[in-house]
């Protein structure tokens, strides 16, 4: 794309009041953005509102700086980190997004672009699963996200999420771990972000974003320099749902962005999956609501693969999730008795004493061992909860 063509796309995207829908009507009528801006206002008014036509007649003040910043960003690519701007008219634009009601005009891409190639849509991964969930998951929820993502990635799937704290970050990490054992050239994970691609939000995920760029792909529809505005993140969720063939919700409260992603996936005719949890956990209520609405209840990675009719790895493959699919360590003796007594819900020390028959000193010692092993978590109010089912 030359400088003039890029300037045309940026001008169309930056024109205030002209959203994706109006821009697509103009593109359909006149062709590339350069041709749009060669038209008279009377031609625009046949397709957009008078206010939008007036806005199109004025070059956005931010255009020169944004054009130079974009050119500089594209020039900063190197052999290990490719950068590209894909427009709605580009042959490499993902076909799954073209099927959406509101595809973005442009996508800023950074990472392993060799995995998607330059052909018309064909290079984008064919098997993509979204994993989303709470920004404040339980320890079990974070572990579920990590282990499920690792299994999917090891099975050759690409995991897409939103780089947020909590479940998103755990899913990206698991996918990167699984990508270590997947086939060469495998795109482990895609992070769809709600800021300009030159920013990382939250800052705690700076190193994770670097790992994703080395082994996956970072995607944004927002111009360079766009800060983390609250309104952009729900909008970002439609791209997460759009790039994937299915969406797995790990944990979610009843009012959460994860449920927005699930709804968007359902509206796009795609499968929605949910992991059930404790009836006492607020973070399970969103998943339970989805299941009541028809989402598929899943307990293992194989449940998802079978539902989507994707190949299930043999039992000895890295994607195998034995038993509950959480990869808990083997525990025997009093530890096994204690894990059995804990169950899945928070429980008090007195209840554990009654259930196990152990004396207080022995019980506390075994609890400490299981805490150190990551099997048990200590909760407020003197409660304990099992974290990894063995």
């Amino acid at each position: 794309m030359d400088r003039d063509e890029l300037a045309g796309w940026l001008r169309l995207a930056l024109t205030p009041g002209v959203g994706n829908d109006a821009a697509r009507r103009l593109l359909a009528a006149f062709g590339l953005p350069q041709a749009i801006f060669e038209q008279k206002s009377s031609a625009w008014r046949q397709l957009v509102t008078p206010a939008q036509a007036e806005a199109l007649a004025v070059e956005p003040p931010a255009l020169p700086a944004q054009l130079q910043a974009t050119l500089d960003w594209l020039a900063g690519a190197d052999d290990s980190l490719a950068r590209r701007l894909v427009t709605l008219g580009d042959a490499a634009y993902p076909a799954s997004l073209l099927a959406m009601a509101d595809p973005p005009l442009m996508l800023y891409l950074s990472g392993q672009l060799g995995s998607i190639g330059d052909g018309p849509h064909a290079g984008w991964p064919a098997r993509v699963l979204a994993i989303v969930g709470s920004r404040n998951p339980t320890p079990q929820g974070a572990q579920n996200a990590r282990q499920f993502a690792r299994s999917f990635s090891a099975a050759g799937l690409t995991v897409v999420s939103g780089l947020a704290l909590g479940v998103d970050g755990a899913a990206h990490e698991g996918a990167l771990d699984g990508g270590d054992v997947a086939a060469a050239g495998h795109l482990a994970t895609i992070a769809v972000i709600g800021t300009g691609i030159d920013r990382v939000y939250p800052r705690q995920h700076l190193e994770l974003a670097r790992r994703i760029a080395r082994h996956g792909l970072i995607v944004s529809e927002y111009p360079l320099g766009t800060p983390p505005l609250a309104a952009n993140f729900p909008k970002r969720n439609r791209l997460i749902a759009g790039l994937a063939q299915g969406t797995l919700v790990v944990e979610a409260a009843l009012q959460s962005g994860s449920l927005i992603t699930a709804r968007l996936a359902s509206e796009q005719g795609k499968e929605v999956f949910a992991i059930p949890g404790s009836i006492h956990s607020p973070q399970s209520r969103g998943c339970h609501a989805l299941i009541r609405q028809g989402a598929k209840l899943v307990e293992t990675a194989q449940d998802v693969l079978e539902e989507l009719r994707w190949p299930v790895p043999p039992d000895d493959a890295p994607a195998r999730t034995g038993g509950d699919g959480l990869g808990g360590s083997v525990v025997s003796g009093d530890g096994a008795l204690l894990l059995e007594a804990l169950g899945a819900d928070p429980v008090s020390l007195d209840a554990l004493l009654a259930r196990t028959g152990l004396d207080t000193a022995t019980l506390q010692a075994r609890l400490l061992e299981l805490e150190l092993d990551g099997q048990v978590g200590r909760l407020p109010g003197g409660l304990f909860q099992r974290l990894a089912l063995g």
Side-chain angles (χ1 to χ4, degrees):
M1 183 186 310
D2 62 28
R3 184 187 183 96
D4 290 342
E5 184 179 352
L6 175 59
W9 281 102
L10 288 172
R11 177 175 174 179
L12 185 59
L14 293 172
T15 300
V18 177
N20 291 341
D21 185 58
R24 287 195 302 275
R25 291 198 300 273
L26 292 165
L27 289 167
F30 304 120
L32 291 174
Q34 293 161 285
I36 293 174
F37 293 110
E38 292 171 355
Q39 307 301 314
K40 295 181 179 180
S41 178
S42 58
W44 296 335
R45 288 172 183 267
Q46 297 179 32
L47 299 166
V48 299
T49 68
Q52 289 172 326
E54 289 181 13
L56 287 166
V58 180
E59 181 178 293
L63 179 60
Q66 189 63 227
L67 174 60
Q68 190 57 54
T70 304
L71 290 169
D72 292 343
W73 177 77
L74 290 168
D78 57 39
D79 292 339
S80 62
L81 182 63
R83 295 175 177 177
R84 185 170 178 181
L85 184 61
V86 176
T87 68
L88 197 59
D90 196 311
Y93 193 95
S96 59
L97 296 188
L98 289 175
M100 295 187 343
D102 184 30
L105 294 183
M106 299 186 294
L107 293 173
Y108 297 78
L109 311 177
S110 177
Q112 300 310 304
L113 295 177
S115 299
I116 65 171
D118 294 318
H121 320 310
W124 284 82
R127 297 191 300 157
V128 182
L129 187 77
I131 297 182
V132 296
S134 173
R135 284 179 170 80
N136 299 290
T138 65
Q140 184 70 74
Q143 184 181 19
N144 284 348
R146 189 173 289 106
Q147 292 294 341
F148 271 75
R150 186 185 189 284
S151 293
F152 293 135
S153 180
L157 278 64
T158 297
V159 172
V160 58
S161 197
L163 198 63
L165 294 173
V167 165
D168 286 19
H172 289 305
E173 290 169 355
L176 291 168
D177 292 341
D180 291 341
V181 295
H186 169 234
L187 195 66
T189 187
I190 298 173
V192 183
I193 61 176
T195 66
I197 202 166
D198 56 336
R199 296 194 174 201
V200 175
Y201 179 83
R203 296 298 296 173
Q204 297 96 307
H205 279 171
L206 180 59
E207 182 53 37
L208 176 59
R210 290 171 176 162
R211 288 184 64 200
I212 293 171
R214 290 195 297 268
H215 303 286
L217 199 61
I218 299 177
V219 178
S220 174
E221 67 176 306
Y222 297 107
L224 296 174
T226 301
L229 304 174
N232 288 349
F233 292 93
K235 188 177 178 183
R236 171 274 316 264
N237 291 349
R238 81 191 194 288
L239 302 187
I240 296 175
L243 286 170
Q245 282 74 59
T247 295
L248 171 64
V249 182
V250 177
E251 280 188 344
L254 284 173
Q255 301 294 329
S256 69
S258 302
L259 297 194
I260 294 175
T261 307
R263 175 178 57 79
L264 293 169
S266 181
E267 290 174 353
Q268 294 172 23
K270 299 176 179 179
E271 294 288 353
V272 176
F273 306 92
I275 299 175
S278 168
I279 61 172
H280 301 292
S281 172
Q283 300 291 29
S284 297
R285 291 173 186 164
C287 289
H288 293 170
L290 289 173
I291 292 168
R292 286 195 295 271
Q293 295 163 14
K296 304 295 190 302
L297 184 156
V298 299
E299 298 175 318
T300 68
Q302 281 86 341
D303 292 340
V304 176
L305 296 175
E306 290 171 357
E307 184 67 31
L308 292 172
R309 298 182 180 180
W310 289 341
V312 177
D315 285 346
D316 59 350
R320 180 171 184 257
T321 52
D324 56 24
L326 303 179
S329 60
V330 176
V331 179
S332 59
D334 289 343
L337 174 66
L338 180 53
L339 284 177
E340 182 67 26
L342 276 163
D345 295 334
V347 64
S348 68
L349 184 63
D350 288 342
L352 289 175
L353 287 168
R355 292 178 186 179
T356 63
L358 298 173
D359 61 80
T360 303
T362 301
L363 178 60
Q364 290 180 331
R366 296 298 175 267
L367 280 170
L368 179 59
E369 291 173 359
L370 292 174
E371 283 184 74
L372 294 174
D373 192 38
Q375 301 268 337
V376 169
R378 193 179 295 264
L379 305 178
L383 298 178
F384 299 87
Q385 185 169 25
R386 188 176 181 179
L387 301 182
L389 304 180

